[in-house]
């Protein structure tokens, strides 16, 4: 093998840090699996219908337990044993919404895929990051709040897009072309309540400067008696319209002018789209893991409690965390993003062709612990398609 070949091979190589990061993240899955088992037993009399087939809730949950426990622990490779080189074909993931390993990779895969599209749109439109909030709720009311916030956003879009008219207000002036909404839930530990909110991307026509000037002051401007935020006229308008949509009130020009509002922020995205692609419980789990690291015991079950897990499970079950509207409608934000083909396939085939000239290959399923040991202690090489490597590398980011 010449130097050029090794350069090409190294460009697809994955180091041990990526696999070690995955190993650390999936440790918490043992606790998640316990929570699922407990949930299945607690609601063992519950039945669930999917696709016309009714199954016991406990049976469906037990399948999740198996997937969560196996997540990332086995890696399918093509091994060239004598050369000590392995091609990573697939990593068996669970895709569970409470798996930090899967959700971290999915969030970064979304960001890599759709950021170029958004930056291209910025040439023709102004892209805004809009955060829509609602009052905090207790665990019992979280499922309803999540359902209402998703339904209310669809209602809001009808007005902003001009599909639903309000006498005296011309929404056509915004030049709306599309939006993406992303659900996130955080937890207030002191009050023991939940804060569902939406991070949104909106594309409007250029030159409106909807986020400036920030000159208006209202109740959401103050924190502990200090004025920390001022709002643009558009922000105040969105705060009022959003409250009417969420509360289910009649929307008219008069009701908008006389309404209060819910805190909403509008800022030019300026190429920064990270917030929109975060996974739904990222903020909550980050807080929990920070508490966990500070704990004296360091136990992995010092993070999310069972009661918190249960509240989030029923709030998020069957809910789509991300959705595109207008020009973004039809974009795939689900797990399929992790497994899409990429342009490196041809070069990978060339590498495999050269390796087969020197050694026979075999398909094997390797344990994650063995992969880490092979890289660290035996200096063996693991390489993969670009999207797999990027997904693994994203786990090292905090």
């Amino acid at each position: 093998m010449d130097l050029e070949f090794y350069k090409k091979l190294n460009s697809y190589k994955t180091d041990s840090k990526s696999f070690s990061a995955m190993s650390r993240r999936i440790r918490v899955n043992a606790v998640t699996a316990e929570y699922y088992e407990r949930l299945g037993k607690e609601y063992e009399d519950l039945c669930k219908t999917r696709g016309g087939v009714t199954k016991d809730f406990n049976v469906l949950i037990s399948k999740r337990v198996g997937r969560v426990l196996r997540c990332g622990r086995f890696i399918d490779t093509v091994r060239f044993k004598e050369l000590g080189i392995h091609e990573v074909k697939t990593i068996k993931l669970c895709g569970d919404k409470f798996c930090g390993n899967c959700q971290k990779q999915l969030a970064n895969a979304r960001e890599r895929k759709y950021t170029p599209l958004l930056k291209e749109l910025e040439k023709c439109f102004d892209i805004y990051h809009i955060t829509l909030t609602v009052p905090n709720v207790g665990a019992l009311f979280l499922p309803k709040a999540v359902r209402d916030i998703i339904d209310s956003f669809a209602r809001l879009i009808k007005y902003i897009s001009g599909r639903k008219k309000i006498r005296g207000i011309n929404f056509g002036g915004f030049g709306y072309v599309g939006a993406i909404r992303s659900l996130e839930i955080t937890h207030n530990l002191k009050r023991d309540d939940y804060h569902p909110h939406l991070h949104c991307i909106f594309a409007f026509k250029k030159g409106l400067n909807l986020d400036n000037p920030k000159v208006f002051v209202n109740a959401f401007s103050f924190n502990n008696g200090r004025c920390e935020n001022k709002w643009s006229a558009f922000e105040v308008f969105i705060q009022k319209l959003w409250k009417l949509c969420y509360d289910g009130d009649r929307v008219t020009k008069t009701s908008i002018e006389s309404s209060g509002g819910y805190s909403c922020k509008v800022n030019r995205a300026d190429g920064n789209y990270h917030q929109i692609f975060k996974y739904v419980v990222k903020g909550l789990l980050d807080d929990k893991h920070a508490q966990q690291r500070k704990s004296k015991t360091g136990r992995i079950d010092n993070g999310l409690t069972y009661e918190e897990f249960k509240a989030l499970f029923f709030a998020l079950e069957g809910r789509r965390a991300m959705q595109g509207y207008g020009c973004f409608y039809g974009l795939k934000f689900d797990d399929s993003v992790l497994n899409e083909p990429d342009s490196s396939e041809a070069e990978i085939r060339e590498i495999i062709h050269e390796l087969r000239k020197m050694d026979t290959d075999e398909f094997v399923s390797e344990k994650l612990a063995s992969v880490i040991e092979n890289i660290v202690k035996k200096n063996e090489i693991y390489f993969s398609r670009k999207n797999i490597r990027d997904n693994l590398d994203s786990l090292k980011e905090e």
Side-chain angles (χ1 to χ4, degrees), residues 76-115:
D76 292 337
T77 68
V78 172
R79 178 175 65 181
F80 296 86
K81 191 172 183 180
E82 296 301 320
L83 296 172
I85 298 176
H86 312 244
E87 181 204 2
V88 177
K89 299 295 289 185
T90 57
I91 301 174
K92 297 174 182 178
L93 302 174
C94 66
D96 194 88
K97 61 176 66 71
F98 294 102
C99 175
N101 174 51
C102 290
Q103 294 303 315
K104 175 68 173 175
Q105 293 186 62
L106 179 57
N108 282 278
R110 287 169 174 164
E111 188 170 356
R112 287 195 306 272
K113 179 175 180 179
Y114 294 115
T115 292

Short mmCIF file of all heavy atoms in Angstrom, two decimals, residues 76-115:
data_model
loop_
_atom_site.label_atom_id
_atom_site.label_comp_id
_atom_site.label_asym_id
_atom_site.label_seq_id
_atom_site.Cartn_x
_atom_site.Cartn_y
_atom_site.Cartn_z
N ASP A 76 -21.37 -3.84 13.41
CA ASP A 76 -21.13 -4.73 12.27
C ASP A 76 -19.98 -4.18 11.45
O ASP A 76 -20.00 -3.01 11.02
CB ASP A 76 -22.38 -4.85 11.40
CG ASP A 76 -23.51 -5.59 12.10
OD1 ASP A 76 -23.20 -6.37 13.03
OD2 ASP A 76 -24.68 -5.41 11.72
N THR A 77 -18.97 -5.01 11.23
CA THR A 77 -17.80 -4.57 10.47
C THR A 77 -17.41 -5.60 9.42
O THR A 77 -17.78 -6.77 9.50
CB THR A 77 -16.58 -4.34 11.39
OG1 THR A 77 -16.13 -5.61 11.91
CG2 THR A 77 -16.92 -3.42 12.54
N VAL A 78 -16.66 -5.15 8.44
CA VAL A 78 -15.94 -6.04 7.52
C VAL A 78 -14.49 -6.01 7.98
O VAL A 78 -13.84 -4.96 7.95
CB VAL A 78 -16.08 -5.57 6.07
CG1 VAL A 78 -15.16 -6.39 5.17
CG2 VAL A 78 -17.52 -5.70 5.60
N ARG A 79 -14.00 -7.16 8.43
CA ARG A 79 -12.68 -7.20 9.06
C ARG A 79 -11.64 -7.83 8.13
O ARG A 79 -11.88 -8.87 7.53
CB ARG A 79 -12.76 -8.00 10.35
CG ARG A 79 -11.43 -8.15 11.08
CD ARG A 79 -11.59 -8.83 12.41
NE ARG A 79 -12.05 -10.21 12.26
CZ ARG A 79 -12.29 -11.03 13.28
NH1 ARG A 79 -12.17 -10.59 14.53
NH2 ARG A 79 -12.70 -12.27 13.07
N PHE A 80 -10.50 -7.16 8.04
CA PHE A 80 -9.32 -7.72 7.39
C PHE A 80 -8.36 -8.09 8.53
O PHE A 80 -7.58 -7.25 8.99
CB PHE A 80 -8.70 -6.71 6.43
CG PHE A 80 -9.61 -6.35 5.28
CD1 PHE A 80 -10.56 -5.35 5.41
CD2 PHE A 80 -9.54 -7.05 4.08
CE1 PHE A 80 -11.40 -5.02 4.37
CE2 PHE A 80 -10.38 -6.74 3.02
CZ PHE A 80 -11.32 -5.73 3.17
N LYS A 81 -8.44 -9.34 8.98
CA LYS A 81 -7.83 -9.75 10.23
C LYS A 81 -6.32 -9.59 10.24
O LYS A 81 -5.73 -9.08 11.20
CB LYS A 81 -8.21 -11.21 10.53
CG LYS A 81 -7.84 -11.66 11.94
CD LYS A 81 -8.40 -13.04 12.21
CE LYS A 81 -8.10 -13.48 13.65
NZ LYS A 81 -8.66 -14.83 13.94
N GLU A 82 -5.65 -10.05 9.17
CA GLU A 82 -4.19 -9.99 9.14
C GLU A 82 -3.68 -8.55 9.08
O GLU A 82 -2.63 -8.23 9.64
CB GLU A 82 -3.67 -10.78 7.93
CG GLU A 82 -3.97 -12.28 7.99
CD GLU A 82 -3.38 -12.94 9.22
OE1 GLU A 82 -2.24 -12.58 9.59
OE2 GLU A 82 -4.05 -13.79 9.83
N LEU A 83 -4.43 -7.69 8.40
CA LEU A 83 -4.02 -6.29 8.29
C LEU A 83 -4.40 -5.47 9.51
O LEU A 83 -3.87 -4.38 9.74
CB LEU A 83 -4.65 -5.65 7.04
CG LEU A 83 -4.23 -6.22 5.69
CD1 LEU A 83 -5.08 -5.62 4.58
CD2 LEU A 83 -2.75 -5.92 5.43
N GLY A 84 -5.35 -5.98 10.31
CA GLY A 84 -5.81 -5.23 11.47
C GLY A 84 -6.61 -4.01 11.08
O GLY A 84 -6.53 -2.95 11.71
N ILE A 85 -7.40 -4.14 10.02
CA ILE A 85 -8.21 -3.04 9.51
C ILE A 85 -9.67 -3.48 9.46
O ILE A 85 -9.98 -4.60 9.04
CB ILE A 85 -7.73 -2.61 8.10
CG1 ILE A 85 -6.28 -2.11 8.17
CG2 ILE A 85 -8.63 -1.51 7.53
CD1 ILE A 85 -5.68 -1.75 6.82
N HIS A 86 -10.57 -2.60 9.88
CA HIS A 86 -11.99 -2.91 9.95
C HIS A 86 -12.79 -1.79 9.28
O HIS A 86 -12.55 -0.61 9.56
CB HIS A 86 -12.47 -3.04 11.39
CG HIS A 86 -11.60 -3.90 12.26
ND1 HIS A 86 -12.04 -5.07 12.83
CD2 HIS A 86 -10.30 -3.75 12.69
CE1 HIS A 86 -11.07 -5.60 13.56
NE2 HIS A 86 -10.01 -4.81 13.48
N GLU A 87 -13.74 -2.15 8.44
CA GLU A 87 -14.68 -1.16 7.93
C GLU A 87 -15.95 -1.23 8.75
O GLU A 87 -16.58 -2.30 8.85
CB GLU A 87 -15.03 -1.41 6.46
CG GLU A 87 -15.99 -0.36 5.93
CD GLU A 87 -16.81 -0.79 4.73
OE1 GLU A 87 -16.68 -1.95 4.29
OE2 GLU A 87 -17.63 0.03 4.25
N VAL A 88 -16.36 -0.13 9.35
CA VAL A 88 -17.60 -0.08 10.12
C VAL A 88 -18.76 0.02 9.13
O VAL A 88 -18.88 0.99 8.39
CB VAL A 88 -17.62 1.12 11.08
CG1 VAL A 88 -18.96 1.19 11.81
CG2 VAL A 88 -16.48 1.03 12.07
N LYS A 89 -19.60 -1.02 9.12
CA LYS A 89 -20.75 -1.04 8.20
C LYS A 89 -21.97 -0.40 8.83
O LYS A 89 -22.59 0.48 8.25
CB LYS A 89 -21.07 -2.49 7.77
CG LYS A 89 -19.95 -3.20 7.04
CD LYS A 89 -19.65 -2.56 5.69
CE LYS A 89 -20.75 -2.81 4.68
NZ LYS A 89 -20.38 -2.29 3.34
N THR A 90 -22.34 -0.89 10.00
CA THR A 90 -23.50 -0.33 10.71
C THR A 90 -23.25 -0.37 12.21
O THR A 90 -22.53 -1.24 12.71
CB THR A 90 -24.80 -1.10 10.41
OG1 THR A 90 -24.61 -2.50 10.76
CG2 THR A 90 -25.20 -0.98 8.96
N ILE A 91 -23.85 0.59 12.91
CA ILE A 91 -23.85 0.59 14.37
C ILE A 91 -25.30 0.45 14.78
O ILE A 91 -26.15 1.25 14.39
CB ILE A 91 -23.25 1.89 14.93
CG1 ILE A 91 -21.81 2.04 14.44
CG2 ILE A 91 -23.30 1.89 16.45
CD1 ILE A 91 -21.17 3.35 14.83
N LYS A 92 -25.60 -0.57 15.53
CA LYS A 92 -26.99 -0.87 15.89
C LYS A 92 -27.46 0.09 16.98
O LYS A 92 -27.06 -0.01 18.13
CB LYS A 92 -27.10 -2.33 16.34
CG LYS A 92 -26.74 -3.31 15.22
CD LYS A 92 -26.71 -4.76 15.67
CE LYS A 92 -26.31 -5.67 14.53
NZ LYS A 92 -26.22 -7.09 14.94
N LEU A 93 -28.33 1.03 16.56
CA LEU A 93 -28.83 2.06 17.46
C LEU A 93 -30.29 1.82 17.80
O LEU A 93 -31.01 1.14 17.06
CB LEU A 93 -28.68 3.44 16.81
CG LEU A 93 -27.25 3.84 16.41
CD1 LEU A 93 -27.27 5.14 15.64
CD2 LEU A 93 -26.35 3.94 17.62
N CYS A 94 -30.74 2.40 18.92
CA CYS A 94 -32.12 2.18 19.36
C CYS A 94 -33.06 3.27 18.86
O CYS A 94 -34.27 3.05 18.71
CB CYS A 94 -32.20 2.08 20.88
SG CYS A 94 -31.76 3.61 21.75
N GLY A 95 -32.54 4.48 18.64
CA GLY A 95 -33.37 5.59 18.18
C GLY A 95 -34.34 6.11 19.23
O GLY A 95 -35.26 6.87 18.90
N ASP A 96 -34.16 5.71 20.49
CA ASP A 96 -35.11 6.12 21.54
C ASP A 96 -34.93 7.59 21.90
O ASP A 96 -33.81 8.11 21.93
CB ASP A 96 -34.89 5.25 22.78
CG ASP A 96 -36.04 5.36 23.76
OD1 ASP A 96 -37.01 4.61 23.63
OD2 ASP A 96 -35.97 6.24 24.66
N LYS A 97 -36.04 8.26 22.19
CA LYS A 97 -36.00 9.69 22.49
C LYS A 97 -35.29 9.98 23.81
O LYS A 97 -34.88 11.12 24.06
CB LYS A 97 -37.41 10.28 22.52
CG LYS A 97 -38.34 9.69 23.55
CD LYS A 97 -39.68 10.40 23.59
CE LYS A 97 -40.49 10.21 22.33
NZ LYS A 97 -41.02 8.84 22.16
N PHE A 98 -35.11 8.96 24.68
CA PHE A 98 -34.40 9.16 25.94
C PHE A 98 -32.96 8.66 25.89
O PHE A 98 -32.28 8.63 26.91
CB PHE A 98 -35.15 8.47 27.08
CG PHE A 98 -36.49 9.07 27.37
CD1 PHE A 98 -37.66 8.47 26.93
CD2 PHE A 98 -36.59 10.26 28.08
CE1 PHE A 98 -38.90 9.03 27.18
CE2 PHE A 98 -37.82 10.83 28.34
CZ PHE A 98 -38.98 10.21 27.88
N CYS A 99 -32.51 8.26 24.71
CA CYS A 99 -31.14 7.78 24.55
C CYS A 99 -30.26 8.95 24.11
O CYS A 99 -30.37 9.42 22.98
CB CYS A 99 -31.08 6.65 23.52
SG CYS A 99 -29.40 6.10 23.15
N GLY A 100 -29.40 9.41 24.99
CA GLY A 100 -28.52 10.52 24.67
C GLY A 100 -27.59 10.20 23.52
O GLY A 100 -27.20 11.09 22.75
N ASN A 101 -27.22 8.93 23.37
CA ASN A 101 -26.34 8.51 22.29
C ASN A 101 -27.01 8.73 20.93
O ASN A 101 -26.45 9.37 20.04
CB ASN A 101 -25.99 7.02 22.47
CG ASN A 101 -25.19 6.47 21.31
OD1 ASN A 101 -24.18 7.03 20.91
ND2 ASN A 101 -25.66 5.37 20.74
N CYS A 102 -28.23 8.24 20.78
CA CYS A 102 -28.94 8.37 19.50
C CYS A 102 -29.37 9.79 19.22
O CYS A 102 -29.23 10.29 18.09
CB CYS A 102 -30.17 7.45 19.49
SG CYS A 102 -29.77 5.70 19.43
N GLN A 103 -29.91 10.47 20.22
CA GLN A 103 -30.43 11.81 20.00
C GLN A 103 -29.32 12.82 19.71
O GLN A 103 -29.51 13.75 18.92
CB GLN A 103 -31.26 12.26 21.20
CG GLN A 103 -32.54 11.45 21.40
CD GLN A 103 -33.43 11.48 20.16
OE1 GLN A 103 -33.64 12.53 19.57
NE2 GLN A 103 -33.95 10.33 19.78
N LYS A 104 -28.16 12.62 20.31
CA LYS A 104 -27.02 13.49 20.02
C LYS A 104 -26.60 13.34 18.56
O LYS A 104 -26.37 14.33 17.85
CB LYS A 104 -25.86 13.14 20.95
CG LYS A 104 -24.57 13.89 20.68
CD LYS A 104 -24.68 15.35 21.00
CE LYS A 104 -23.33 16.04 20.89
NZ LYS A 104 -23.43 17.50 21.08
N GLN A 105 -26.49 12.09 18.10
CA GLN A 105 -26.10 11.86 16.72
C GLN A 105 -27.15 12.39 15.74
O GLN A 105 -26.82 12.97 14.71
CB GLN A 105 -25.88 10.36 16.48
CG GLN A 105 -24.69 9.79 17.23
CD GLN A 105 -24.41 8.35 16.86
OE1 GLN A 105 -24.11 8.04 15.71
NE2 GLN A 105 -24.51 7.45 17.82
N LEU A 106 -28.42 12.17 16.08
CA LEU A 106 -29.50 12.62 15.20
C LEU A 106 -29.52 14.14 15.09
O LEU A 106 -29.68 14.70 13.99
CB LEU A 106 -30.84 12.11 15.74
CG LEU A 106 -32.10 12.52 14.95
CD1 LEU A 106 -32.00 12.08 13.50
CD2 LEU A 106 -33.34 11.94 15.60
N ALA A 107 -29.35 14.83 16.23
CA ALA A 107 -29.37 16.30 16.21
C ALA A 107 -28.24 16.84 15.34
O ALA A 107 -28.45 17.78 14.55
CB ALA A 107 -29.24 16.83 17.64
N ASN A 108 -27.06 16.27 15.46
CA ASN A 108 -25.94 16.75 14.67
C ASN A 108 -26.07 16.38 13.20
O ASN A 108 -25.65 17.14 12.32
CB ASN A 108 -24.63 16.20 15.25
CG ASN A 108 -24.18 16.96 16.47
OD1 ASN A 108 -23.56 18.01 16.39
ND2 ASN A 108 -24.52 16.44 17.65
N ALA A 109 -26.67 15.21 12.92
CA ALA A 109 -26.90 14.83 11.52
C ALA A 109 -27.88 15.79 10.86
O ALA A 109 -27.72 16.19 9.70
CB ALA A 109 -27.41 13.40 11.45
N ARG A 110 -28.93 16.16 11.60
CA ARG A 110 -29.89 17.14 11.08
C ARG A 110 -29.19 18.47 10.78
O ARG A 110 -29.40 19.09 9.73
CB ARG A 110 -30.99 17.40 12.11
CG ARG A 110 -32.01 16.29 12.29
CD ARG A 110 -32.83 16.61 13.52
NE ARG A 110 -33.93 15.68 13.73
CZ ARG A 110 -34.58 15.56 14.87
NH1 ARG A 110 -34.24 16.31 15.91
NH2 ARG A 110 -35.59 14.71 15.00
N GLU A 111 -28.38 18.91 11.74
CA GLU A 111 -27.71 20.21 11.58
C GLU A 111 -26.78 20.20 10.37
O GLU A 111 -26.76 21.15 9.58
CB GLU A 111 -26.94 20.55 12.85
CG GLU A 111 -26.38 21.95 12.85
CD GLU A 111 -25.83 22.36 14.21
OE1 GLU A 111 -25.95 21.58 15.17
OE2 GLU A 111 -25.27 23.47 14.30
N ARG A 112 -26.03 19.12 10.18
CA ARG A 112 -25.12 19.04 9.03
C ARG A 112 -25.89 19.01 7.72
O ARG A 112 -25.47 19.61 6.73
CB ARG A 112 -24.26 17.77 9.12
CG ARG A 112 -23.17 17.81 10.17
CD ARG A 112 -22.18 16.70 9.95
NE ARG A 112 -22.81 15.39 9.87
CZ ARG A 112 -23.06 14.61 10.91
NH1 ARG A 112 -22.76 15.04 12.13
NH2 ARG A 112 -23.61 13.43 10.77
N LYS A 113 -27.03 18.33 7.70
CA LYS A 113 -27.77 18.18 6.46
C LYS A 113 -28.50 19.45 6.05
O LYS A 113 -28.50 19.82 4.87
CB LYS A 113 -28.78 17.03 6.60
CG LYS A 113 -29.60 16.83 5.33
CD LYS A 113 -30.51 15.62 5.42
CE LYS A 113 -31.31 15.45 4.12
NZ LYS A 113 -32.19 14.27 4.15
N TYR A 114 -29.13 20.13 7.01
CA TYR A 114 -30.04 21.22 6.66
C TYR A 114 -29.44 22.62 6.79
O TYR A 114 -30.01 23.57 6.26
CB TYR A 114 -31.32 21.11 7.48
CG TYR A 114 -32.12 19.88 7.12
CD1 TYR A 114 -32.32 18.85 8.03
CD2 TYR A 114 -32.62 19.72 5.83
CE1 TYR A 114 -33.03 17.72 7.68
CE2 TYR A 114 -33.34 18.59 5.47
CZ TYR A 114 -33.53 17.59 6.40
OH TYR A 114 -34.23 16.46 6.05
N THR A 115 -28.31 22.76 7.47
CA THR A 115 -27.68 24.08 7.56
C THR A 115 -27.29 24.63 6.18
O THR A 115 -27.53 25.81 5.90
CB THR A 115 -26.46 24.04 8.50
OG1 THR A 115 -26.91 23.82 9.84
CG2 THR A 115 -25.69 25.35 8.46
#
